[in-house]
Amino acid sequence: MSNRPEESVPSPGEWPVDPQEDIPISDDRIWVDGCFDFSHHGHAGAMLQARRLGKALYVGVHSDEAILENKGPTVMTLKERVAAVEACRWATQCIPHAPYVTFLPWVSHYGCRYVVHGDDITSDSNGDDCYRFVKAAGRFKVVKRTPGISTTDLVGRMLLCTRGHFVKSVKDTLSGAEGSGCQEERQQSAAYLAQQIRDYATDETGLNPGSKVWLWSGSSSAKLDDKVEEPGSFETLVDGRSPRPGQRVVYVDGGFDLFSSGHIEFLRRVFALEESQGRERGWYDAAQRENRIKTCGEDYPPAYIVAGIHDDNVINHWKGFNYPIMNIFERGLCVLQCRYIHAVIFSAPFSPSAPYLKTMPLGVPDVVYHGPTTFIPLTYDPYTAPRQMGIFKETGTHPFQNVNAGEIVERILKSREAYEARQRAKLQKGAVEESVRSKELSG
């Protein structure tokens, strides 16, 4: 595809996703685009802020070839990056093969008035601003970039094998007792983290209450050892939507490190299996649907999915090295933004014991799901209790099951030289882009 705007507009029938004909432009339809290499919470934060500016969010995803030409090699394939965007609860539609330089015909075709991007400059291979055409038309809006997280940061952690991002205690971090800096700085960081959790726990509009969030407290042994069973205690961090009449409560758990297409496909399959089960019990019959709308004012899915997330030290115990690459807050925000999740439990035990399951705030779940594990060399079955309770199910194999943190790190290390060159180029481009940004702000 040419870099010239007039040659980069598909003909009807050739657009990557429908509609094939132009639709009327609306202020309520917002466009964002990007590489979305890794589904980290910085990307989700940009989509959340953009979604809050309208009623529908269209997300353009650049091709592997366009990114290679303008930025360097991608870590995730286009298919994997699209899967991540489609799983974000604030994305209305994903448009693959969106041009690296944002052209108005693409934005207008999908009925979007405004393009939203973070408060940093993104340039193409020529050093020109990727949003120059949109800015010139007065159709550009800026949102705040999420600090401290980017694909570049994550690749750096992998290449340098750093561990400074680990969180020892979620509770202490949220109270300001743990962290870097003086007490005032820790308190500010804690307040920011708590606000992030509340923001990411919103519904698909980004404005209303959505997911419930709890913190589980138990001994270190209970979090790691299958022999130690404790009910522990649950503390509410965000009081979101409760399960609605008829919904089955589903429990899943994991590390969800580098929240990848492997995790996303597992969660999507859990959601799909519950939809299938719901269909068998008449959930989608017209009469039942009308009754739900009459009773609750809207329709809703047959399952309410709760995700337990393990502490950093628990994952490190099993995987070693500098895993997890993302700390528990970064992983938790990734899970919270996923449209297949309705509630999250921070610091969940590695092995969900009977006392833990029976003490869960929503009661014993109707089912506990687990997917194929290919990365952790387990020495015991963490799901003995749900098996004995008759509530355990497996999702089976899927095409993305090998896409996990280990696979992603392996991809980076196999092409270390190329990614190190990308890191250097990013730093050089960053200096130029910051200079351009400073001139824009002063001008």
Side-chain angles (χ1 to χ4, degrees):
M1 186 172 287
S2 168
N3 282 332
R4 295 180 60 189
E6 65 272 20
E7 295 179 4
S8 299
V9 183
S11 302
E14 297 181 355
W15 290 92
V17 294
D18 291 339
Q20 292 301 319
E21 300 293 337
D22 292 353
I23 59 176
I25 295 175
S26 168
D27 290 354
D28 287 329
R29 281 193 288 272
I30 305 296
W31 174 282
V32 298
D33 56 24
C35 304
F36 301 102
D37 204 9
F38 296 153
S39 52
H40 61 68
H41 73 274
H43 294 148
M47 286 190 272
L48 168 59
Q49 293 180 78
R51 178 63 179 81
R52 286 173 166 173
L53 297 175
K55 294 181 179 178
L57 179 64
Y58 292 78
V59 185
V61 180
H62 309 317
S63 69
D64 297 342
E65 295 77 15
I67 298 170
L68 180 62
E69 177 185 347
N70 290 279
K71 189 174 184 178
T74 60
V75 180
M76 313 301 289
T77 66
L78 176 62
K79 189 173 183 179
E80 291 166 347
R81 293 183 287 112
V82 166
V85 168
E86 289 180 337
C88 179
R89 75 172 74 252
W90 303 300
T92 304
Q93 186 171 12
C94 178
I95 298 95
H97 298 284
Y100 199 84
V101 174
T102 308
F103 297 139
L104 288 170
W106 278 70
V107 177
S108 298
H109 172 79
Y110 288 100
C112 302
R113 174 82 65 192
Y114 295 107
V115 174
V116 170
H117 188 66
D119 55 356
D120 55 331
I121 300 294
T122 301
S123 58
D124 60 18
S125 57
N126 298 319
D128 296 322
D129 187 345
C130 291
Y131 297 96
R132 57 189 182 275
F133 301 115
V134 180
K135 290 177 178 178
R139 292 170 63 177
F140 186 74
K141 291 190 176 185
V142 177
V143 294
K144 187 172 178 60
R145 182 179 178 277
T146 304
I149 189 71
S150 69
T151 301
T152 303
D153 294 329
L154 294 173
V155 171
R157 291 181 192 178
M158 296 178 211
L159 294 177
L160 299 174
C161 290
T162 57
R163 299 177 64 169
H165 56 282
F166 285 10
V167 171
K168 294 179 182 177
S169 166
V170 171
K171 191 177 186 69
D172 288 349
T173 302
L174 288 175
S175 70
E178 179 188 329
S180 59
C182 64
Q183 183 176 358
E184 182 180 353
E185 290 171 329
R186 292 197 302 271
Q187 291 291 344
Q188 289 175 347
S189 178
Y192 176 71
L193 271 175
Q195 184 59 53
Q196 272 193 310
I197 293 171
R198 288 192 292 270
D199 287 340
Y200 283 61
T202 51
D203 68 356
E204 63 275 7
T205 71
L207 300 170
N208 303 314
S211 302
K212 282 182 173 290
V213 184
W214 296 282
L215 169 62
W216 186 72
S217 294
S219 68
S220 297
S221 298
K223 292 181 179 181
L224 274 171
D225 196 337
D226 66 325
K227 301 295 190 296
V228 179
E229 298 184 346
E230 295 176 0
S233 61
F234 290 84
E235 176 187 344
T236 299
L237 299 182
V238 180
D239 190 16
R241 282 184 163 184
S242 298
R244 285 168 282 185
Q247 282 188 312
R248 280 164 42 102
V249 175
V250 174
Y251 184 68
V252 297
D253 63 358
F256 301 106
D257 194 16
L258 295 175
F259 194 65
S260 67
S261 52
H263 303 124
I264 292 165
E265 179 62 15
F266 161 65
L267 296 173
R268 189 195 70 78
R269 290 199 170 213
V270 168
F271 194 88
L273 285 168
E274 284 298 305
E275 281 195 320
S276 177
Q277 198 276 344
R279 192 168 289 108
E280 290 178 3
R281 57 191 171 102
W283 184 269
Y284 294 101
D285 293 351
Q288 288 202 30
R289 182 176 182 275
E290 289 173 8
N291 184 60
R292 289 194 296 272
I293 294 174
K294 182 179 179 181
T295 304
C296 300
E298 61 179 352
D299 199 9
Y300 48 86
Y304 183 99
I305 303 174
V306 182
I309 304 173
H310 309 316
D311 279 334
D312 293 350
N313 70 312
V314 171
I315 297 174
N316 188 255
H317 169 83
W318 287 104
K319 296 185 179 179
F321 300 103
N322 65 325
Y323 292 107
I325 305 302
M326 287 178 172
N327 68 43
I328 188 167
F329 289 110
E330 294 165 343
R331 293 180 284 113
L333 293 175
C334 285
V335 175
L336 269 174
Q337 61 85 39
C338 181
R339 66 172 71 250
Y340 308 121
I341 293 298
H342 303 90
V344 163
I345 300 172
F346 280 91
S347 300
F350 188 76
S351 183
S353 66
Y356 168 79
L357 294 170
K358 291 175 181 177
T359 314
M360 287 180 65
L362 302 177
V364 177
D366 293 285
V367 59
V368 174
Y369 279 98
H370 184 57
T373 300
T374 58
F375 187 33
I376 302 179
L378 297 176
T379 57
Y380 65 85
D381 179 6
Y383 299 98
T384 299
R387 286 183 197 275
Q388 292 175 344
M389 296 165 71
I391 58 172
F392 182 76
K393 284 189 178 181
E394 293 182 317
T395 57
T397 59
H398 58 76
F400 294 123
Q401 68 184 52
N402 292 318
V403 185
N404 50 40
E407 160 67 16
I408 295 168
V409 170
E410 190 173 321
R411 292 181 189 181
I412 295 287
L413 296 180
K414 278 183 177 178
S415 305
R416 185 181 185 114
E417 185 176 334
Y419 287 115
E420 285 179 336
R422 169 177 161 164
Q423 299 293 88
R424 290 193 295 271
K426 176 66 176 176
L427 290 173
Q428 292 169 355
K429 280 184 69 178
V432 175
E433 291 164 355
E434 182 57 34
S435 175
V436 172
R437 181 172 177 270
S438 297
K439 288 179 182 178
E440 283 190 354
L441 292 174
S442 61

